[in-house]
Amino acid sequence: LPPPARVRCCCLNDSFWRILAMWALLSEAVHAGRIYLSFLLCFHYFLIGGSYLHCPFFSSRSRTSVRIHIYSLALILRLWNTPHYRSSTQSQDLRNNLRNVAIPTTGVPLSTVLYNRVTTYFFIVFVYPLIQFIISILSTAKQGLHKVSNEFSHRLLSPTDWCHLWQLNCRLSSLHAHKTRDAQYNLENKWTFLVAAKEHGFSVSPWLDVNELVLKHKNEEGGLGVYFFKNATIDGDWIIQSRLYNSTKVAALLPDTAPLSSFRVVTASKRSIPVHLRGVSMTNH
């Protein structure tokens, strides 16, 4: 082709790919918008008291995790002022839990946005989806725009990171405690647990039998750096104990700076186990 024709051809090619990229971006935006709209409809259905069993959104069996996640978000507001076994209200316990968890890249504690029901609603409905959308774009930057909506769907509707799963478990426990009023939840209080365990003959970490403890910084002026702790033995908020260390045999397997090693006994409902495996020793599978 002569030079002018080649220039026109290159311009046409550039325009074609530019239009194609814009079309792909628009398509992803529309798909993400539909995902967000479905999230909003399902969330508000649960928020106004809709039944989980009869939820018309994400009703297929393969979308169970989506319904559970969104239902748990609605529970934050539905249980807001109800009593909690660790705190005066469910909302106060949530603020306590999230004061050390920050909004990604901001350093702002999540407890800040839980000031009241209005700020929490605004965060769940607008800010939370926006954060997930931005993270979806950043996490798929090297894979291409066509991956954004799928990533956004996963992060908004059925996230599997530790923080979401941890909070899902917390809300499940809160709901169960609220519905059953089971006194066993009182054992979540560390002091109540230690006393009950000791009364039943279990070995527990020992505590110091002193009424109050004063800690002073060795080199601050006057009354600065002085802290007072009232022992749980006289209805204070603190269990005062000597620090425990790993045994010699365990310590030999760990770095010098390793913290105290411990293990957790975890229980689960049989409803999470397929029917054909219930009652069957799991060591055989």
Side-chain angles (χ1 to χ4, degrees), residues 8 17 26 47 79 100 125 171 192 208 211 238 245 277:
R8 285 196 299 272
W17 289 113
L26 180 61
L47 185 60
L79 299 177
N100 291 325
V125 169
R171 290 192 282 274
T192 302
L208 300 180
N211 289 346
W238 300 93
Y245 295 89
L277 291 178

Side-chain angles (χ1 to χ4, degrees), residues 98 100-113 123 127 131 135:
L98 297 178
N100 291 325
V101 180
I103 298 173
T105 73
T106 67
V108 178
L110 274 172
S111 56
T112 305
V113 304
F123 181 81
V127 181
I131 290 173
I135 293 175

Side-chain angles (χ1 to χ4, degrees), residues 56-120:
F57 305 100
F58 307 107
S59 55
S60 65
R61 190 176 183 86
S62 62
R63 306 290 269 171
T64 299
S65 61
V66 178
R67 292 199 311 279
I68 291 174
H69 169 60
I70 299 177
Y71 180 70
S72 76
L73 292 177
L75 282 179
I76 295 173
L77 296 172
R78 287 176 58 173
L79 299 177
W80 188 262
N81 285 324
T82 57
H84 192 275
Y85 51 84
R86 270 193 307 260
S87 305
S88 56
T89 62
Q90 303 275 354
S91 56
Q92 184 57 52
D93 187 72
L94 188 60
R95 281 190 286 268
N96 293 342
N97 273 348
L98 297 178
R99 65 178 181 263
N100 291 325
V101 180
I103 298 173
T105 73
T106 67
V108 178
L110 274 172
S111 56
T112 305
V113 304
L114 304 174
Y115 181 73
N116 57 35
R117 262 184 170 148
V118 174
T119 58
T120 304

Side-chain angles (χ1 to χ4, degrees), residues 135-151:
I135 293 175
S136 298
I137 293 175
L138 296 176
S139 62
T140 58
K142 295 182 179 180
Q143 303 174 44
L145 290 174
H146 63 288
K147 296 285 187 178
V148 173
S149 59
N150 287 337
E151 183 70 14

